């Protein structure tokens, strides 16, 4: 998955790496276009990156 961080498919570029605590999910989330309007699925992928950052930065 890490080799495909430039993939426009959010599942490949962000969600998968975030589930595996891969730091690169944060940058991939920043590089992707905003989620499609009213797409809960796409928003959940970006939420996975946010949750990864939260776990990482928690004291």
């Amino acid at each position: 998955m890490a080799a495909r961080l430039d993939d426009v498919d959010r599942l490949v570029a962000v969600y998968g790496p975030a589930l595996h605590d891969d730091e690169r999910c944060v940058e991939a989330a920043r590089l992707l276009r905003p989620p499609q309007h009213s797409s809960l699925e796409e928003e959940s992928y970006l939420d996975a990156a946010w949750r990864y950052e939260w776990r990482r930065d928690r004291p």
Side-chain angles (χ1 to χ4, degrees):
M1 270 187 242
R4 301 203 53 196
L5 287 176
D6 61 345
D7 195 317
V8 294
D9 182 349
R10 283 175 165 66
L11 180 61
V12 173
V14 179
Y15 191 68
L19 293 180
H20 294 282
D21 291 331
D22 187 329
E23 171 79 23
R24 294 172 288 184
C25 70
V26 176
E27 183 62 23
R30 288 187 185 123
L31 293 174
L32 291 173
R33 69 187 188 287
Q36 294 178 15
H37 183 65
S38 299
S39 174
L40 295 178
E41 182 180 41
E42 287 192 11
E43 289 178 15
S44 71
Y45 299 159
L46 297 178
D47 184 57
W50 176 87
R51 283 183 277 130
Y52 162 77
E53 285 185 290
W54 181 81
R55 288 190 312 270
R56 179 195 65 192
D57 298 339
R58 228 172 64 193

